[in-house]
Amino acid sequence: ASAYRTAESRKVEDLLRQIPGFDIAGDGRISFNGKEVDRILVEGDDLTEKNYRLLSRNLHAGLVDKVQVMGRYDENRLLASVSSPEKVGINLTIDKKYLLRWSGTVEAGLGTGGQRMTDLNLVRLAPAFKFIQFLQHNTIGLTANADMNHYFREGEAAGSSSSQEIPVRGLLKAGSILPPPLSASYTRDNDDKSGFSILSWKSGPAVRMKVLAGGLFTGTSFLSRGWQDILQPDGYRWQVFFEDASRSDIQEGVLRYSLQHDAGKNNLGSYVAELALGRSIHQYANLSSGAITDSLREKLMTRQVFFHLRGSESFRLPGAAVLNMLFSLRRENPEQGFDAATGRFRG
């Protein structure tokens, strides 16, 4: 890693960008020689499963000693023995000076106008025990790197990402009155906090247990305001003041416990229990005054509770065959409410 690390290589994602063969998409997905990466391991341990962006976007690049690429990777070694996996895996080995001891990084900044940022990595890695802590807070426009959406869409097709855009059109926007140039009247404010704790330990020679707990609190507001002159065909001029404002507040959390057993013989298995909670409020207001008075206020409230219990057991059978059994139980409780109010007056 040291051969590719630069002063700008803050996170593992930045480091991989410098290594030939790696490509980083805008959403953080990583591919190597055209094949998408399926997992990122730390010292051979799969701490985050498919949500490897939790590591690539948070783990400090200065801790990494080597980047190892596994061309035919399968998290289930028994299945890998009877198939030709096309997945790519990455194993990060940590610099020996950071092993068997508490270590980490802290970055902080303070600027004018209430701008601030803090980024903390705390790590302790040993063969039988691993602990990683990420904490972030910023008001400088950086998105929280918790990647919480992964846990809310795990029930969908692997690797898919869905979103629902709710169009918002005020009465004035539907007519001839247009917003002012953003460069002259547009502001954005954010307050993002996120944190993750990952704990992995061995219980005996064949059992490994893992706990992952994380939370995200983000608030973002947009404001656009200004005056505009509207010239009518009869020569009459309107002067209108208007304001577009929106606010989003999101709180999400996840708690996951997993148990894996593998005695290195003809049987292995894994079990995962996961709880994800989400709450969001999105508000929009469009106000104007002058020749006409117009108002539109909208509020969308969402609550989500997801519970997922899943497991697998694999057995090697005579004749080089493998029996793989899976089960999954998922419960979702989404609730959504929408309020809107509008009024328009002339004169």
Side-chain angles (χ1 to χ4, degrees):
S2 60
Y4 299 94
R5 197 158 39 230
T6 66
E8 289 75 33
S9 302
R10 296 182 58 248
K11 303 297 182 181
V12 168
E13 183 181 87
D14 304 321
L15 173 64
L16 296 180
R17 257 191 207 96
Q18 306 300 320
I19 302 178
F22 282 102
D23 182 68
I24 315 296
D27 63 357
R29 295 186 183 277
I30 303 170
S31 58
F32 181 77
N33 289 340
K35 294 183 178 180
E36 185 172 340
V37 170
D38 187 70
R39 305 288 174 98
I40 292 183
L41 283 62
V42 177
E43 292 290 328
D45 196 358
D46 185 4
L47 298 176
T48 59
E49 296 190 1
K50 285 186 175 293
N51 190 16
Y52 61 75
R53 284 173 289 186
L54 182 57
L55 289 172
S56 61
R57 289 189 158 182
N58 287 282
L59 188 64
H60 200 282
L63 301 173
V64 179
D65 179 46
K66 291 183 176 64
V67 178
Q68 301 172 337
V69 178
M70 298 166 282
R72 293 187 176 274
Y73 171 76
D74 196 309
E75 65 275 11
N76 188 319
R77 60 175 180 80
L78 294 182
L79 291 180
S81 67
V82 295
S83 64
S84 298
E86 296 297 325
K87 301 176 183 178
V88 174
I90 298 175
N91 181 49
L92 304 176
T93 65
I94 304 302
D95 195 320
K96 288 183 173 56
K97 64 184 177 183
Y98 299 120
L99 296 176
L100 303 175
R101 55 180 290 188
W102 289 99
S103 59
T105 62
V106 178
E107 298 182 12
L110 185 65
T112 60
Q115 293 186 323
R116 57 191 182 277
M117 65 84 64
T118 306
D119 188 305
L120 168 69
N121 275 207
L122 183 61
V123 176
R124 192 182 195 284
L125 302 175
F129 175 87
K130 294 182 177 68
F131 175 81
I132 300 179
Q133 173 76 64
F134 302 129
L135 291 174
Q136 290 184 333
H137 175 222
N138 84 90
T139 61
I140 58 175
L142 300 177
T143 59
N145 286 335
D147 193 25
M148 278 289 189
N149 286 335
H150 168 86
Y151 300 102
F152 288 94
R153 65 173 184 257
E154 269 195 313
E156 301 176 10
S160 69
S161 175
S162 65
S163 64
Q164 182 179 2
E165 294 294 334
I166 300 176
V168 177
R169 289 181 61 87
L171 296 178
L172 289 182
K173 287 185 177 181
S176 61
I177 301 179
L178 303 175
L182 295 182
S183 59
S185 59
Y186 174 77
T187 60
R188 178 188 187 276
D189 295 303
N190 78 296
D191 188 353
D192 284 20
K193 306 179 183 70
S194 64
F196 263 90
S197 297
I198 305 171
L199 177 63
S200 171
W201 72 97
K202 279 187 175 181
S203 177
V207 177
R208 179 172 285 275
M209 292 180 281
K210 303 171 189 176
V211 174
L212 183 149
L216 165 71
F217 304 90
T218 177
T220 308
S221 60
F222 301 84
L223 179 64
S224 173
R225 54 166 51 147
W227 290 91
Q228 188 167 28
D229 288 332
I230 305 298
L231 184 62
Q232 300 300 308
D234 58 2
Y236 183 74
R237 182 186 299 271
W238 281 3
Q239 189 175 55
V240 178
F241 172 81
F242 60 91
E243 176 179 291
D244 266 339
S246 67
R247 173 76 186 180
S248 295
D249 292 283
I250 301 173
Q251 303 171 14
E252 295 175 335
V254 63
L255 178 63
R256 189 177 74 187
Y257 170 82
S258 63
L259 181 149
Q260 297 172 321
H261 69 85
D262 184 359
K265 297 181 181 179
N266 297 323
N267 167 239
L268 58 84
S270 68
Y271 300 88
V272 179
E274 189 170 80
L275 176 67
L277 308 172
R279 179 177 180 271
S280 64
I281 300 177
H282 302 281
Q283 301 179 76
Y284 171 77
N286 173 262
L287 309 174
S288 72
S289 62
I292 64 173
T293 300
D294 185 39
S295 66
L296 173 66
R297 298 181 185 275
E298 296 179 324
K299 184 177 182 180
L300 178 66
M301 298 158 289
T302 304
R303 291 183 179 86
Q304 303 173 83
V305 180
F306 291 175
F307 175 74
H308 199 183
L309 182 64
R310 52 190 166 89
S312 68
E313 284 285 342
S314 299
F315 301 89
R316 189 188 302 276
L317 304 178
V322 173
L323 173 65
N324 188 44
M325 300 184 297
L326 308 171
F327 80 88
S328 175
L329 175 65
R330 183 175 174 88
R331 172 76 176 178
E332 303 184 15
N333 291 92
E335 299 178 7
Q336 198 167 65
F338 180 72
D339 293 328
T342 185
R344 184 168 193 172
F345 306 93
R346 288 193 61 174

